[in-house]
Structure formats: structure tokens, C-alpha cells
Amino acid sequence: MSGIEQWLVDHKIPVGKWGESFFDFLIDNFAGFFDAITDGGSFLIDGTVDMLLFIPSIVLIILITGLAQYLQRTWKLSLFVFLSLLFIVNLGYWTETIESLVLVVYATVVCMITGVPLGIAAAHRPWLYSLLRPVLDLLQTIPTFVYLIPAMTLFGLGMVPALVATVIFAVAAPVRLTHLGVSSVPKPLIEAAESFGATKKQLLWKVEIPYALPTIMAGVTQCIMLSLSMVVIGALVGASGLGKPVVRALNSRQIDMGIEAGLAIVVVAILLDRLCKQRNAPVDGA
Amino acid sequence: MTAVEFKKVDIVFGDNQQEAIPMVDAGKTREEILEKTGCVLGVADGSIKIEEGEICVLMGLSGSGKSTLLRAVNGLNKVTRGEVLVRDGDDLIDVASCDAKTLRHMRMERVSMVFQQFALLPWRTVSENVGLGLELKGMPKAEREAIVEEKLKMVSLDQWKDKYAHELSGGMQQRVGLARAFATDADILLMDEPFSALDPLIRDHLQDELLELQRNLKKTIVFVSHDLDEALKIGTHIAIMEGGRIVQYGEPEEIVLNPANEYVAEFVAHMNPLNVLRCASLMTPVSDLRKDGDRVILDKYDAFKVALDSKGAVQKVTFEDKEELPVFSFEADHSLDDIPDCNIVTASPEITMKRAIELRQSTGNPVLLSEEGVLVGVVGDEEIYQGILRQSSIADAAE
Ligand SMILES: Nc1ncnc2c1ncn2[C@@H]1O[C@H](COP(=O)(O)OP(=O)(O)OP(=O)(O)O)[C@@H](O)[C@H]1O
Ligand SMILES: [Mg+2]
């Protein structure tokens, strides 16, 4: 028995080496490409953060409260948004909150831009979906730490590798939900449009997307929440934001700092969840 | 002019069509074909010619292939073999073989469809739903609105244009479906059990509305129904389908009087004959009536006698040889109230059995039937009873 084991150990398959040389290959040949993404990404993210921080916090809080009122139309929620944002300022985590929010928003935008078309394409082509499904499962089951390493290797330290890791983690949700929404359009609705001569494109824009919209929007909400859950992990590859103080507190056993930063994350999570809630229940078909 | 013609149409669902087609030709049943090839036979050898302005009803039990045949007209179902010719101006286009662009043209301009479950888009208002076809054609909004308004007026829903479909009753929703189909001004209307999801009263009402609209618009309608009474009421022609095959095609009365087989007879047995049977097929013809000298005797008690002139027109009607009955000529636009008391009525042999019973009851006398002034026959109690009994004898035979 131990002979076999010894043999196995001696003849190690160099998976790690292969992976490393794959990444080496990528870096050697496409360094320019990854650098461009890194530079462009950080420019965009940092620029947005700087711009938002340039606005006095109280003005921004009022603006966000206004947005809440516009989206949900309940004064109770708006009041809650207003007070909890003030509370974050009071905790001293305003800058970090803005940084995290910007990261979450960009991650969500990237996820939607890639995930929605992919979901639509998969809904129209069953073979594509059967190909995608194991990949999506994999993305959601691999521990997120695992893809921090390649993300860091390719994009260095900072906001961009965190963004990439977040997108990889969260993109499955909009793909799945868009697929679900588009493929559950009732057949008679499609046939009605077809019977009036709708083209594929018209069918998509006038029937499938409007029908699937509530489900797609649920995908946005999920994406936002998943992205937020990556804030702390993102800090491990150097992303600034609310994750940073948490990681620092963990390393230096500063319980008070950990509690406060953790609380800020929870507050942001509740806020985002409430803001994204759909005001109207989705209309059902036919 | 032919509006739609099915020419030897076969529709087979499934992958193994090459193997199924020879079995269809051999006249095998749907079950045999399914067992051998795994294909479902939708329609086999369907041939019908529908003239412009007709209402052709496809009738049959569930699964008999009515919808499948109907949906071949706008290409929602692919035809496996055969031709489906649809009129486009001076041409007949074979939608089974035309290219995508032509098919789209036919769907936008020539053929529109009304669905059983209405199939309205729930996120659109009533007027946005009605304008769907025009929108897909690329018509600008302002132009669209005028047409939508007009069509909504036509189905008397103009008050409801800004509501959503789920805010309307089923009957109203189907009127929206009708308005949507009318909006593109297509001459050919496909209706797949449009009233089946509605309760009987609303259904009856919408049938009347459809007939009324049809009188003004003169569309060609292909209508699917599983209800013979409905088919007889609205159809100018009826095709009866069984297991994917058309077993009888003809005018309503033809089908009622001469069912082609047991299956059709079974349907006929359960229908209401009053609106379908015409007096021409019910009456005792003049030649079969007994005579008293020059006069014709109308009933078996020798009570009513008619004197005819040399051409055969009614001159004088007597009751029990004493009393003379004034003759009233009952035309299509008369109502029962127009008939003076104690008159005997002459009417066209084209009137329905129901009308004849009404006339008989209202006057108390037999009904004379004349065509272009010439007496052709009579319908009295005997004939009415026989009409009803023939109905029940068909029913007995079918059971
Ligand atoms: N898309 C399809 N794929 C496979 N089989 C089909 C398809 N559409 C219809 N069929 C089959 O074809 C046959 C005829 O169906 P069709 O819908 O034309 O019947 P129908 O007369 O309209 O019945 P109903 O009154 O229930 O609507 C049925 O056996 C049905 O199962
Ligand atoms: Mg059907």
C-alpha cells in the first residue's frame, strides 16, 4: 500500500507548475492587454471615488435619500436611508463606504453587461445553456479565495483584481435569472407577435425582454448583494473600502474597529437590499 | 376568388418524417404512425378551398388537428408536404414554401390571428396591445393611434384604452384580441377557438358581434371550434376533422342532413337543428301534396286548401271550405309582429326551421313556401315533427 503511495508521491503530476506556466504565458504575451485593463479600470474607479468624495457628504446623503424616495416612494424608507447614512459618517467610515459602493456598482454593471446577453443567448440556444450550466455551477462553488490568486497575478494589487474576482463570483446570478426570465415567456405571447410578422429582434425587444424584465431586475439585486459580500475578500488583494478595516482589525485583534466596520457593511447591505426591492410584484404572463 | 387553399397538406411532428410520410400515404392511423416512427400526425392529406368572404369552420374533437391546419396558414406550424396557398392581391402565395421575407409580409399585411387564451401582452395597455401589429410594421405612433382608436370603437372598448389586460373581463380581453387582429387590415382572419375560454352567454354575444362585423368588413375567416352549434351558427362552410384527416367538408345543412360517417353523425346528434335546417329540406313539396280538384290540400285533415293559378302562384286559401284566409308574404326583413291576425303566411324556403316554427305558432296556420311567387311546398305540424324526429333518429343511430 505504502509502495503505491510512495510511487504516487514520487510521480507528482505538476498541475501547479502547468497552471503557473499558463499564467506566465498570459503575462509574457498579453501583459499589455492586462495592464491596459488595470490602468483603465483603476482610472475609472478611482476617478469616480474621488468625484463622489469631492461632494460634501451631507449633500451626497441628501441626493441618495432623494434617489430612495424616487425608487420606492415611501417616506419611512427614505428616512431610514438618511439616518443610516448619517450613522456611517458618524462611525467615520464614509470614505470607505463610498469606495465599496463604487466597487459594487461597477461590478454590477460589468456583470449585467456580460450576464444579460449571455443569459438571452443561452435561452435561445439550449446547447449553449447546457454548456454554460456546469461553468456557472463551478464559478459559484469554487471558494472565492481561489480566484483571488490569478486575479492578483494578472491585475496586480488594488481595486481592479477585486473587481475581477467580484465579477467572476457574481456573474452567474444575472446569467441564470435572465435565462430563466427569457425562457419562461409563454408560447402564446411569442406566437402572437410572430403572427403579426415580428422579426427575431422585435421579438426580443418587444416581448421577451419586457416579459423577463422583473426577473432580470431580480438578477441585478442579487448581483449587488453578491458583490457586497465580496467586499472583505476584495480587501485581501488590496481593494480599498469597508473590507480594509475589517481585515486590519482581524490582523491586529482590534475588536472595536472590527465591530464598527462590520456594522457599516451590514448597514450598507440593508440599504442596498431595501433600495433594490421591486416596488411592484412581477406581472404574470398571458 | 379563392382566399386560402390547402392542397394535399400533410403536417407531421417529429424527427422521423421521412419514414412517416409513406405511412400517411398508406392511410395508416395516427396511433400506428406514432408507434412505428415516433412521429405525431398533425394533419394528413388536407385539401380545402376557401373563397373570399367565407367563414370556414374547422371542427373536430380535441387533438383532431384543427389548430395544426389553421396555424399552417400563417406558418406557425411547418407544413411537411403539400401547399398552403394564400391570396396576396392577384397572386396566390404558397406560405409552405415561401422565403422568410414573403412570410413576414403575409403575416403583417394579409393574415392576422386571434388566440384562444387571448395572448395579450400584460405589460401593455389595451391600446398598445391593439397597435402591436402596426408597431411591428414600423408605423409611426401618431398614425397608429388613429387606427387603434377606430378599431377600439369598433369593438366598443374605446373607454378602456388605457387599462391593462388583466383589468378587463375575459370577453373584453377577447374583443381586444379581435381589435388587434383587425388593426392591420388583413383580409384573412385566423381564429383558434377564440370564444372557448368564455362563458356561454358572453360567447353567444361575441359570436353575434363577429357576424355583425363580418357583414360589414367581409373578411375571410378560418375559425376553429369544437362545438358544432357554434360552427353551424357562424360557418358558411364546415370542415370536420378526425385524427388529422378531413372527413367531411361542406355547407352546414349538408353536414347535418348527410353526415359522412359515424363520427360526424355523433356530432350532429348533439346539435340543435333549429337554426340549421332550412325549410327547403323540411317541407312537403307541392308535387307530393294531395289534391281536391284544382286545389292543393295542405294538411291531413283536409282543412286547408290552396287554389293556384296557371303558373303555380297562390291565389286563394280556404279553411274548412268556408272561410278565406288572407295571405301575407313574409320577407326576410319582417318581424313576427308585422303579420296581421288570422293570416296565412308565405315565406322563402330558405328560412330556418326555427323561423318556420315561430311563424306556425304565431299564425296558427301552416306555412306556405314559395319561390319567386310559385308555391313550392308547405311546412305544418307534421313536417316540423318530422324534422325534429329525423334529428333524434340520427342520434339513435349514432348511439
Ligand atoms: N408542436 C407540436 N409538437 C408535437 N406534436 C404536436 C404539436 N402541436 C400539435 N401536436 C399534436 O398534433 C395533434 C393535433 O393537435 P392540434 O393542436 O391540431 O389539435 P386540435 O384539434 O387543435 O385540438 P384541441 O381542440 O385540443 O386544440 C395532437 O395529437 C397534438 O399532440
Ligand atoms: Mg387547438
Coordinates of all heavy atoms in Angstrom, one line a residue, chain A residues 185 187-199 202-203 205-212 283-286, chain B residues 71 74 76 104 107-108 111-113 115 117-124 132-133 135-138 166 180-181 184:
Chain A
V185 N -41.1 32.9 -21.1 CA -42.1 33.7 -21.8 C -43.1 32.7 -22.4 O -42.8 31.7 -23.1 CB -41.5 34.5 -23.0 CG1 -42.6 35.3 -23.7 CG2 -40.4 35.4 -22.5
K187 N -45.6 30.7 -24.6 CA -45.6 30.5 -26.0 C -46.6 31.3 -26.8 O -46.3 31.9 -27.8 CB -45.8 29.0 -26.3 CG -45.4 28.5 -27.7 CD -44.5 27.3 -27.7 CE -44.0 26.9 -29.1 NZ -45.0 26.0 -29.7
P188 N -47.8 31.4 -26.2 CA -48.8 32.2 -27.0 C -48.4 33.6 -27.2 O -48.7 34.2 -28.2 CB -50.1 32.1 -26.1 CG -49.9 30.9 -25.3 CD -48.5 30.7 -25.1
L189 N -47.7 34.2 -26.2 CA -47.3 35.6 -26.4 C -46.3 35.7 -27.6 O -46.3 36.6 -28.4 CB -46.6 36.1 -25.1 CG -47.5 36.2 -23.9 CD1 -46.8 37.0 -22.8 CD2 -48.8 36.9 -24.3
I190 N -45.4 34.7 -27.6 CA -44.4 34.7 -28.7 C -45.1 34.5 -30.1 O -44.9 35.2 -31.0 CB -43.4 33.6 -28.5 CG1 -42.6 34.0 -27.2 CG2 -42.5 33.5 -29.7 CD1 -41.3 33.2 -27.1
E191 N -46.0 33.6 -30.1 CA -46.8 33.3 -31.3 C -47.6 34.5 -31.7 O -47.7 34.8 -32.9 CB -47.6 32.1 -31.1 CG -46.8 30.8 -31.1 CD -47.6 29.5 -31.0 OE1 -48.7 29.6 -30.6 OE2 -47.0 28.5 -31.3
A192 N -48.2 35.2 -30.8 CA -49.0 36.4 -31.1 C -48.1 37.4 -31.9 O -48.5 37.9 -32.9 CB -49.6 37.0 -29.9
A193 N -46.9 37.7 -31.3 CA -46.0 38.6 -32.0 C -45.6 38.1 -33.4 O -45.6 38.8 -34.4 CB -44.8 38.9 -31.1
E194 N -45.3 36.8 -33.4 CA -44.8 36.2 -34.7 C -45.9 36.2 -35.7 O -45.7 36.5 -36.9 CB -44.5 34.7 -34.4 CG -43.0 34.5 -34.1 CD -42.7 33.0 -33.9 OE1 -43.6 32.2 -33.7 OE2 -41.5 32.7 -33.8
S195 N -47.2 36.0 -35.2 CA -48.3 36.0 -36.2 C -48.5 37.4 -36.8 O -49.2 37.5 -37.8 CB -49.6 35.5 -35.6 OG -50.1 36.5 -34.7
F196 N -48.0 38.4 -36.2 CA -48.0 39.8 -36.8 C -46.7 40.1 -37.5 O -46.5 41.3 -37.9 CB -48.4 40.8 -35.8 CG -49.8 40.8 -35.3 CD1 -50.1 40.3 -34.1 CD2 -50.8 41.2 -36.1 CE1 -51.4 40.2 -33.7 CE2 -52.1 41.1 -35.8 CZ -52.4 40.6 -34.5
G197 N -45.9 39.1 -37.7 CA -44.7 39.3 -38.5 C -43.5 39.9 -37.8 O -42.6 40.5 -38.4
A198 N -43.4 39.6 -36.5 CA -42.3 40.1 -35.7 C -41.0 39.4 -36.2 O -41.0 38.2 -36.4 CB -42.5 39.9 -34.2
T199 N -39.9 40.2 -36.3 CA -38.6 39.6 -36.6 C -38.0 39.1 -35.2 O -38.5 39.4 -34.2 CB -37.6 40.6 -37.1 OG1 -37.5 41.7 -36.2 CG2 -38.1 41.2 -38.5
Q202 N -37.3 42.1 -33.1 CA -38.5 42.7 -32.5 C -39.1 41.8 -31.4 O -39.5 42.3 -30.3 CB -39.6 42.9 -33.6 CG -39.3 44.0 -34.5 CD -40.3 44.1 -35.6 OE1 -40.7 43.1 -36.1 NE2 -40.6 45.3 -36.0
L203 N -39.0 40.5 -31.6 CA -39.5 39.5 -30.6 C -38.7 39.7 -29.3 O -39.3 39.8 -28.2 CB -39.2 38.1 -31.1 CG -40.2 37.0 -30.7 CD1 -41.6 37.5 -31.1 CD2 -39.8 35.7 -31.4
W205 N -37.0 42.5 -28.2 CA -37.2 43.8 -27.6 C -38.6 44.1 -27.2 O -38.9 44.8 -26.2 CB -36.7 44.9 -28.5 CG -35.2 44.9 -28.5 CD1 -34.4 44.4 -29.6 CD2 -34.3 45.3 -27.5 NE1 -33.1 44.5 -29.2 CE2 -33.0 45.1 -28.0 CE3 -34.4 45.8 -26.2 CZ2 -31.8 45.3 -27.2 CZ3 -33.3 46.1 -25.5 CH2 -32.0 45.9 -26.0
K206 N -39.6 43.5 -27.9 CA -40.9 43.8 -27.6 C -41.7 42.8 -26.8 O -42.8 43.0 -26.3 CB -41.7 44.1 -28.9 CG -41.2 45.4 -29.6 CD -42.0 45.8 -30.8 CE -41.4 46.9 -31.6 NZ -41.3 48.2 -30.8
V207 N -41.1 41.6 -26.8 CA -41.8 40.5 -26.0 C -40.9 39.9 -24.9 O -41.3 40.0 -23.7 CB -42.4 39.4 -26.9 CG1 -43.1 38.4 -26.1 CG2 -43.3 40.0 -28.0
E208 N -39.8 39.4 -25.3 CA -39.0 38.6 -24.4 C -38.4 39.5 -23.3 O -38.6 39.2 -22.1 CB -37.9 37.9 -25.1 CG -38.5 36.8 -26.0 CD -37.4 36.1 -26.9 OE1 -36.5 36.8 -27.3 OE2 -37.5 34.9 -27.1
I209 N -37.8 40.6 -23.6 CA -37.2 41.4 -22.6 C -38.2 42.0 -21.7 O -38.1 42.0 -20.4 CB -36.2 42.4 -23.2 CG1 -35.0 41.7 -23.7 CG2 -35.8 43.5 -22.2 CD1 -33.9 42.5 -24.2
P210 N -39.3 42.6 -22.2 CA -40.3 43.2 -21.3 C -40.9 42.1 -20.4 O -41.1 42.4 -19.2 CB -41.4 43.7 -22.2 CG -40.7 43.9 -23.5 CD -39.6 43.0 -23.6
Y211 N -41.1 40.9 -20.9 CA -41.7 39.9 -20.1 C -40.7 39.5 -19.0 O -41.0 39.3 -17.8 CB -42.1 38.7 -20.9 CG -42.7 37.6 -20.0 CD1 -44.1 37.6 -19.8 CD2 -42.0 36.6 -19.4 CE1 -44.7 36.7 -19.0 CE2 -42.6 35.7 -18.6 CZ -43.9 35.7 -18.4 OH -44.5 34.8 -17.6
A212 N -39.4 39.4 -19.4 CA -38.4 38.9 -18.4 C -37.9 40.0 -17.5 O -37.1 39.7 -16.6 CB -37.2 38.3 -19.2
V283 N -45.6 41.2 -12.9 CA -46.8 40.8 -13.6 C -46.7 39.4 -14.1 O -45.7 39.0 -14.7 CB -47.2 41.7 -14.7 CG1 -48.1 42.8 -14.3 CG2 -45.9 42.2 -15.4
D284 N -47.8 38.6 -13.9 CA -47.7 37.3 -14.5 C -48.2 37.2 -15.9 O -48.9 38.1 -16.4 CB -48.3 36.2 -13.6 CG -49.6 36.6 -13.1 OD1 -50.2 37.5 -13.7 OD2 -50.0 36.1 -12.0
G285 N -47.8 36.2 -16.6 CA -48.0 36.1 -18.1 C -49.4 35.9 -18.5 O -50.3 35.6 -17.7
A286 N -49.6 36.0 -19.8 CA -50.8 35.6 -20.6 C -52.1 36.0 -19.9 O -52.6 35.4 -19.1 CB -50.8 34.2 -20.9
Chain B
R71 N -52.9 26.8 -38.2 CA -51.6 27.5 -38.0 C -50.7 27.4 -39.2 O -49.7 28.0 -39.2 CB -51.0 27.1 -36.7 CG -51.8 27.5 -35.5 CD -51.6 26.5 -34.3 NE -50.2 26.3 -34.0 CZ -49.5 27.1 -33.2 NH1 -50.1 28.0 -32.5 NH2 -48.2 26.8 -33.0
N74 N -50.5 30.8 -41.4 CA -49.6 31.9 -41.2 C -48.2 31.3 -40.8 O -47.3 32.0 -40.3 CB -50.1 32.9 -40.2 CG -50.3 32.3 -38.8 OD1 -50.1 31.1 -38.6 ND2 -50.6 33.2 -37.9
L76 N -47.1 29.3 -38.6 CA -46.8 29.0 -37.2 C -46.4 27.5 -37.1 O -45.7 27.1 -36.2 CB -47.9 29.4 -36.2 CG -48.0 30.9 -35.9 CD1 -49.1 31.1 -34.9 CD2 -46.7 31.5 -35.4
R104 N -43.1 37.0 -43.8 CA -43.3 38.1 -42.9 C -44.3 39.1 -43.5 O -45.2 39.6 -42.8 CB -41.9 38.8 -42.7 CG -42.0 39.9 -41.7 CD -40.7 40.2 -41.1 NE -40.9 41.2 -40.1 CZ -40.5 42.5 -40.2 NH1 -39.9 42.9 -41.3 NH2 -40.8 43.4 -39.3
R107 N -47.7 37.8 -43.0 CA -48.2 37.9 -41.6 C -48.5 39.3 -41.3 O -49.5 39.6 -40.5 CB -47.1 37.4 -40.7 CG -46.9 35.9 -40.7 CD -45.7 35.5 -39.9 NE -45.6 34.1 -39.6 CZ -44.7 33.6 -38.9 NH1 -43.7 34.3 -38.4 NH2 -44.7 32.3 -38.7
M108 N -47.8 40.3 -41.8 CA -48.0 41.7 -41.5 C -49.2 42.3 -42.2 O -49.9 43.1 -41.6 CB -46.8 42.5 -41.8 CG -45.7 42.4 -40.7 SD -44.4 43.7 -40.9 CE -44.0 43.4 -42.6
V111 N -52.7 38.2 -43.3 CA -53.3 37.2 -42.4 C -53.1 37.7 -40.9 O -52.0 38.1 -40.5 CB -52.6 35.9 -42.5 CG1 -53.3 34.8 -41.6 CG2 -52.6 35.4 -43.9
S112 N -54.2 37.8 -40.1 CA -53.9 38.0 -38.7 C -54.7 37.0 -37.9 O -55.5 36.2 -38.4 CB -54.3 39.4 -38.3 OG -55.7 39.6 -38.6
M113 N -54.4 36.9 -36.6 CA -54.8 35.8 -35.8 C -55.4 36.2 -34.5 O -54.9 37.1 -33.9 CB -53.6 34.8 -35.7 CG -54.0 33.5 -35.0 SD -52.7 32.3 -35.4 CE -53.4 30.9 -34.5
F115 N -56.3 34.5 -30.7 CA -55.9 33.3 -29.9 C -56.9 32.9 -28.9 O -57.6 33.7 -28.3 CB -54.6 33.6 -29.2 CG -53.4 33.7 -30.2 CD1 -53.2 34.9 -30.9 CD2 -52.6 32.6 -30.5 CE1 -52.2 35.0 -31.8 CE2 -51.6 32.8 -31.4 CZ -51.4 34.0 -32.1
Q117 N -56.4 31.8 -25.7 CA -56.2 32.5 -24.4 C -55.9 33.9 -24.6 O -55.1 34.5 -23.8 CB -55.1 31.7 -23.6 CG -55.5 30.3 -23.3 CD -56.7 30.1 -22.4 OE1 -57.0 31.1 -21.7 NE2 -57.2 29.0 -22.4
F118 N -56.3 34.6 -25.6 CA -56.2 36.0 -25.9 C -54.8 36.4 -26.3 O -54.6 37.2 -27.2 CB -56.7 36.9 -24.8 CG -57.9 36.3 -24.1 CD1 -58.1 36.3 -22.7 CD2 -59.0 35.7 -24.8 CE1 -59.2 35.8 -22.1 CE2 -60.1 35.2 -24.2 CZ -60.2 35.2 -22.8
A119 N -53.8 35.9 -25.5 CA -52.4 36.2 -25.8 C -52.1 37.7 -25.9 O -51.5 38.2 -26.8 CB -51.9 35.5 -27.0
L120 N -52.7 38.5 -24.9 CA -52.4 39.9 -24.9 C -51.1 40.1 -24.0 O -50.9 39.4 -23.1 CB -53.5 40.7 -24.2 CG -54.9 40.5 -24.9 CD1 -56.0 41.2 -24.1 CD2 -54.8 41.0 -26.3
L121 N -50.3 41.1 -24.4 CA -49.1 41.4 -23.6 C -49.4 42.1 -22.3 O -50.0 43.2 -22.4 CB -48.1 42.2 -24.5 CG -47.8 41.6 -25.8 CD1 -46.8 42.4 -26.6 CD2 -47.2 40.2 -25.7
P122 N -49.2 41.5 -21.2 CA -49.7 42.0 -19.9 C -49.1 43.4 -19.5 O -49.7 44.1 -18.7 CB -49.4 40.9 -18.9 CG -48.3 40.1 -19.5 CD -48.5 40.2 -21.0
W123 N -47.9 43.7 -20.0 CA -47.3 45.0 -19.6 C -47.7 46.1 -20.5 O -47.2 47.2 -20.4 CB -45.8 44.8 -19.6 CG -45.2 44.4 -20.9 CD1 -44.8 45.3 -21.9 CD2 -45.0 43.1 -21.4 NE1 -44.4 44.6 -23.0 CE2 -44.5 43.2 -22.7 CE3 -45.2 41.8 -20.9 CZ2 -44.2 42.1 -23.5 CZ3 -44.9 40.7 -21.7 CH2 -44.4 40.9 -22.9
R124 N -48.6 45.8 -21.5 CA -49.0 46.9 -22.4 C -50.5 47.2 -22.1 O -51.3 46.4 -21.7 CB -48.9 46.4 -23.8 CG -47.5 46.4 -24.3 CD -47.5 45.8 -25.7 NE -46.2 46.0 -26.3 CZ -46.0 46.6 -27.5 NH1 -47.0 47.0 -28.2 NH2 -44.8 46.7 -28.0
L132 N -50.1 46.6 -31.7 CA -48.9 45.8 -31.8 C -48.5 45.5 -33.3 O -47.4 45.7 -33.7 CB -49.1 44.5 -31.1 CG -47.9 43.5 -31.2 CD1 -46.7 44.0 -30.4 CD2 -48.3 42.1 -30.7
G133 N -49.5 45.1 -34.0 CA -49.2 44.7 -35.4 C -48.7 45.9 -36.2 O -47.7 45.8 -37.0
E135 N -47.2 48.5 -35.0 CA -45.9 48.9 -34.4 C -44.8 48.0 -35.1 O -43.8 48.5 -35.5 CB -46.0 48.7 -32.9 CG -44.8 49.2 -32.2 CD -45.0 48.9 -30.7 OE1 -46.1 49.0 -30.2 OE2 -43.9 48.6 -30.1
L136 N -45.1 46.7 -35.2 CA -44.1 45.8 -35.8 C -43.9 46.1 -37.2 O -42.8 45.9 -37.8 CB -44.6 44.3 -35.6 CG -44.7 43.8 -34.2 CD1 -45.4 42.5 -34.2 CD2 -43.3 43.7 -33.6
K137 N -44.9 46.7 -37.9 CA -44.7 47.1 -39.3 C -43.9 48.4 -39.4 O -43.4 48.7 -40.5 CB -46.1 47.5 -39.9 CG -46.8 46.4 -40.5 CD -47.9 47.0 -41.4 CE -49.3 46.4 -41.1 NZ -50.3 46.9 -42.0
G138 N -43.7 49.0 -38.2 CA -42.9 50.3 -38.3 C -43.7 51.5 -38.5 O -43.2 52.6 -38.9
H166 N -55.3 42.7 -17.7 CA -55.8 42.0 -16.5 C -56.9 42.7 -15.8 O -57.6 42.2 -14.9 CB -54.7 41.6 -15.5 CG -54.1 42.8 -14.9 ND1 -54.5 43.4 -13.8 CD2 -53.0 43.5 -15.4 CE1 -53.7 44.4 -13.5 NE2 -52.8 44.5 -14.4
R180 N -57.1 43.9 -32.2 CA -55.7 43.8 -32.6 C -55.6 43.1 -34.0 O -54.8 43.5 -34.8 CB -54.9 43.0 -31.5 CG -53.5 42.7 -31.9 CD -52.7 42.1 -30.7 NE -53.1 40.7 -30.6 CZ -52.6 39.9 -29.6 NH1 -51.7 40.3 -28.8 NH2 -53.0 38.6 -29.5
A181 N -56.4 42.1 -34.1 CA -56.4 41.4 -35.4 C -56.9 42.2 -36.6 O -56.4 42.2 -37.7 CB -57.1 40.1 -35.3
T184 N -54.5 45.5 -38.4 CA -53.6 45.5 -39.6 C -54.3 45.5 -40.9 O -53.7 45.5 -41.9 CB -52.6 44.3 -39.5 OG1 -53.4 43.1 -39.5 CG2 -51.8 44.3 -38.3

